């Protein structure tokens, strides 16, 4: 076990006393709550009010995530050059303006699906920069021993917002129309920007003299991810799970709202219970990792989360809507719990082993791989859903998601009780056995 992993981690009270972290934390809680209103409002608006087809729902999902393919890699290099907090503030203000356009267009009687595509693409582009800066900012804001604790708190808060947002949104939809929820999302982004403006840090912008050509910096980030014996496997697994999982998630609103007739309230309930599982997973992640093993818990959660996804297509073939709702709720809760444990553990490891100067590029490279497949999958989901049906498409997604766990299941992670604090990539030869030797020396208890 390495020195850092045996150090005494500061108690939760230490972060509570950190004004910068609590200010940042509060702003992200408000921003996430507003964002979750939009997560419910977008599919309800598209399916129930604009009568979107399966393919149009797929295009809408793809538009929101296409930026991870288009600008995902250069975004990491740019974020490493910029001040991360200011990058997040700018992204929040862009997202606020885009979301505010939806109710204005609706009340003007001119809102069409193509407007939603453009707005989703704009928000998605801003989100690429925000997320890369966000994932790279935690190690700037808190000391290294507190990074896992900070990630756990931030992820737990995100999941609490996922509970409250859909629950409140579902209730509001009984009183107001879906476009009104976009006002709440715009307000959330504005509050996030305000709290970020009040946060203080000691980050210094990279000097122009220290910059290299953009292409060289992008290659450096990609090389680090591809050559790291753990991060490369985690990225491959996550990318596969995101691709096949998106075949299911893209069509879930159609399944719930149209096929099963459960309405916006049913959709909100499914999302809320899934978020509740996520909260428990984020909070329990450190304890689960300690009990199961920091490395072992990653393939375990990848497999178990895939099993829970099998319940979604099963819900589509059950004749009784109430039973379908129960299956969806169980699936979302179990999936939320296991995925959040997986995310907290692997994100903390990535932040811990990556040199600070490469954080933005490392996170952008991983995001490019694991999020870049989603718009492609969303288009495929819309096409397949319209040609072979929702349930058949979801079955393909569930089976593929289980197979996607292979890169971490058949890897050194399976037997690692403690993840390494660092692996010197320059000293690791390209062949897998040598990498495994390094991992054995640095990562096993």
């Amino acid at each position: 076990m390495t020195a850092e992993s045996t150090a005494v981690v500061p108690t939760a009270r230490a972060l509570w006393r950190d004004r910068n972290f609590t200010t940042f934390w509060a702003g992200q809680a408000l921003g996430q709550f507003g964002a979750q209103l939009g997560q419910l409002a977008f599919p309800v608006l598209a399916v129930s009010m604009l009568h979107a087809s399966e393919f149009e729902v797929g295009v809408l999902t793809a538009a929101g995530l296409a930026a991870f393919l288009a600008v995902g890699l250069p975004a990491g290099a740019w974020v490493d050059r910029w001040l991360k907090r200011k990058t997040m503030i700018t992204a929040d203000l862009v997202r606020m303006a885009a979301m505010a356009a939806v109710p204005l267009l609706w009340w003007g009687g001119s809102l069409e699906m193509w407007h939603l595509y453009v707005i989703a693409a704009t928000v998605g582009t801003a989100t690429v920069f925000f997320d890369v800066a966000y994932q790279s900012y935690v190690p700037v804001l808190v000391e290294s021993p507190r990074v896992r604790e900070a990630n756990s708190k931030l992820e737990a808060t995100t999941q609490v917002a996922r509970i409250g947002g859909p629950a409140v949104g579902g209730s509001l939809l009984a009183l107001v129309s879906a476009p009104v929820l976009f006002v709440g999302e715009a307000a959330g982004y504005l509050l996030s920007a305000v709290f970020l403006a009040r946060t203080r840090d000691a980050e210094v912008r990279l000097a122009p003299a220290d910059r290299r050509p953009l292409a060289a910096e992008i290659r450096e980030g990609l090389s680090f991810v591809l050559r790291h014996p753990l991060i490369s496997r985690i990225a491959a697994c996550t990318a596969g799970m995101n691709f096949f999982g998106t075949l299911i998630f893209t069509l879930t609103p159609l399944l719930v709202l149209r096929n099963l007739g459960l309405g916006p309230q049913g959709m909100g309930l499914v999302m809320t219970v899934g978020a509740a599982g996520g909260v428990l997973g984020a909070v329990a992640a450190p304890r689960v990792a300690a009990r199961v093993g920091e490395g072992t818990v990653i393939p375990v959660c990848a497999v178990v989360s895939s099993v829970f996804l099998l319940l979604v297509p099963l819900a589509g073939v059950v004749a009784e809507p109430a039973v379908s709702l129960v299956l969806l709720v169980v699936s979302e809760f179990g999936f939320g719990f296991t995925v959040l444990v997986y995310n907290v553990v692997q994100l903390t490891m990535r932040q811990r082993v990556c040199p600070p100067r490469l954080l933005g590029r490392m996170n952008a490279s991983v995001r490019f791989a694991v999020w870049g497949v989603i718009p492609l999958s969303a288009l495929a989901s819309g096409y397949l859903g319209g040609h072979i049906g929702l349930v058949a498409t979801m079955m393909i997604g569930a089976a593929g998601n289980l197979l996607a766990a292979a890169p971490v299941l058949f890897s050194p992670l399976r037997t690692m009780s403690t993840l390494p604090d660092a692996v010197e990539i320059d000293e690791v030869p390209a062949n897998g056995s040598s990498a495994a030797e390094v991992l054995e020396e640095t990562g096993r208890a």
Side-chain angles (χ1 to χ4, degrees), residues 67-213:
F68 284 97
L69 275 176
V71 297
L73 288 177
W78 286 324
V79 167
D80 278 338
R81 295 178 177 184
W82 302 337
L83 295 176
K84 296 173 180 62
R85 184 170 60 89
K86 291 186 177 180
T87 300
M88 289 187 283
I89 292 172
T90 302
D92 271 336
L93 294 177
V94 170
R95 294 190 293 186
M96 177 201 70
M99 286 301 177
V102 175
L104 292 176
L105 288 167
W106 174 260
W107 291 327
S110 59
L111 183 65
E112 298 179 10
M113 279 300 300
W114 74 266
H115 291 126
L116 293 187
Y117 299 153
V118 173
I119 291 167
T122 302
V123 172
T125 302
T127 297
V128 169
F129 288 94
F130 184 95
D131 284 358
V132 171
Y134 174 84
Q135 289 196 340
S136 307
Y137 188 61
V138 173
V140 173
L141 196 63
V142 303
E143 298 174 355
S144 180
R146 300 183 186 177
V147 168
R148 185 169 66 180
E149 180 192 355
N151 282 330
S152 179
K153 283 177 165 52
L154 289 166
E155 287 291 345
T157 305
T158 297
Q159 299 309 308
V160 169
R162 286 188 61 205
I163 293 175
V168 172
S171 299
L172 286 175
L173 285 173
L175 304 172
V176 299
S177 60
V180 176
L181 297 188
F182 287 90
V183 176
E185 182 165 9
Y189 289 134
L190 176 60
L191 289 171
S192 173
V194 169
F195 276 80
L196 279 167
R198 294 174 59 85
T199 304
R200 296 292 178 266
D201 58 65
E203 186 182 15
V204 178
R205 188 192 300 269
L206 182 68
D210 295 331
R211 299 174 184 173
R212 294 184 296 152

Side-chain angles (χ1 to χ4, degrees), residues 317-337:
V317 299
V318 174
E320 179 57 49
V323 177
S324 296
L325 181 60
V326 170
L327 291 172
L328 290 171
V329 164
V330 171
S331 173
E332 284 290 311
F333 183 88
F335 182 81
F337 181 92

